[in-house]
Amino acid sequence: MDQRIINLFDEYTHAPLTRKEFMERLIKLAGGTALALTALSVLEPGYAAAATVAPEADDLETEDVSWAGDGATVRGYLVHPKGKKKRGAVVVIHENRGLTPHIKDVTRRVAQAGYLALGVDALSVLGGTPADEDKGRELIGQLDATKNLNNYLAALAYLRARPDCNGHTGAVGFCWGGGLVNQLAVHDAKLDAAVAYYGQQPKAEDVPNIKAALMLHYGGLDQRINAGIPAYEAALKAAGTKYELYVYEGVNHAFNNDTSPARYNAEAAKLAWERTLRLFKKKLG
């Protein structure tokens, strides 16, 4: 697909670009309405086809849970392997659409790797993640940043207090969630492992607060997010922070999202996931 079309879709999903404006520009780039609709079919998510772990997987237990957040009750999707055992726990942080079927699938993938996996619904404080992704992006913009961060810090505290948690916690997030992983690393000294996929970087002056082992995944074609890499890496080196930084050349933002064929890159996603689980095994048990 024309990289300009992928860049336009990235602009649409991250900037205040209306659906009407997006479609008008897409039609021009694609060369007509029919071709634009064809491009859209491989840009927008196809959740059912991409699910890799069935919601009713025999080896997993799932439950809807809640905890006290900053002035509101927060809800999440908790998944863990069957059987009583203390396990490391991982908060899974969604993109800027909410707790979609794709992120629930990722949560189950983390659980199948042997962890307590909690997919937090950041939009639960506004009524929950809607089926309409445009509405989800709109609601994400209405969240209070400080309260939202506190809600995720409370999620980590909730996991640590569970009798089936071994006391070690990690976080993995994508896009909007990747940026939030960086913020959790800054604000939670107990966090053991933080994995950010193409997430916005924290302020350089906040980096010395990071105690978690960091793993940072970026798509080589993602100019918007990658612009912040040099300053972040310089701050990490200056602070002596343990980190791993990987740039996957020739792949786009959201390369891990297998519900969007135009941006998904199977090879990069597989390698990044193997590296992610390696860090979790080392730090979470």
Side-chain angles (χ1 to χ4, degrees), residues 129-246:
T129 294
D132 184 337
E133 291 210 341
D134 285 340
K135 182 62 176 179
R137 284 190 287 268
E138 178 185 330
L139 290 174
I140 285 287
Q142 297 176 16
L143 290 173
D144 179 281
T146 299
K147 289 184 177 181
N148 180 64
L149 175 60
N150 288 340
N151 291 340
Y152 275 92
L153 292 169
L156 287 168
Y158 163 78
L159 286 171
R160 292 180 185 124
R162 286 182 61 95
D164 49 358
C165 177
N166 67 9
H168 296 296
T169 51
V172 59
F174 309 85
C175 184
W176 182 86
L180 194 51
V181 165
N182 283 320
Q183 290 302 317
L184 288 180
V186 166
H187 290 89
D188 191 329
K190 294 181 181 179
L191 191 65
D192 295 288
V195 183
Y197 281 71
Y198 28 85
Q200 184 175 352
Q201 299 83 5
K203 296 178 181 178
E205 58 266 31
D206 291 337
V207 169
N209 295 328
I210 296 175
K211 307 302 179 187
L214 283 180
M215 181 173 286
L216 309 170
H217 300 296
Y218 298 101
L221 299 176
D222 188 5
Q223 297 180 7
R224 179 178 58 86
I225 290 296
N226 293 358
I229 292 177
Y232 192 16
E233 186 164 28
L236 290 169
K237 289 179 178 178
T241 307
K242 294 180 180 179
Y243 77 97
E244 297 175 60
L245 191 157
Y246 302 102

Side-chain angles (χ1 to χ4, degrees), residues 17 23 39 49 53 85 87 135 162 170 197 200 212 231 233 252 266-267 275 285:
L17 190 66
M23 288 304 300
V53 182
K85 177 182 177 181
R87 308 176 188 277
K135 182 62 176 179
R162 286 182 61 95
Y197 281 71
Q200 184 175 352
E233 186 164 28
N252 284 285
E267 183 178 356
R275 288 168 167 167

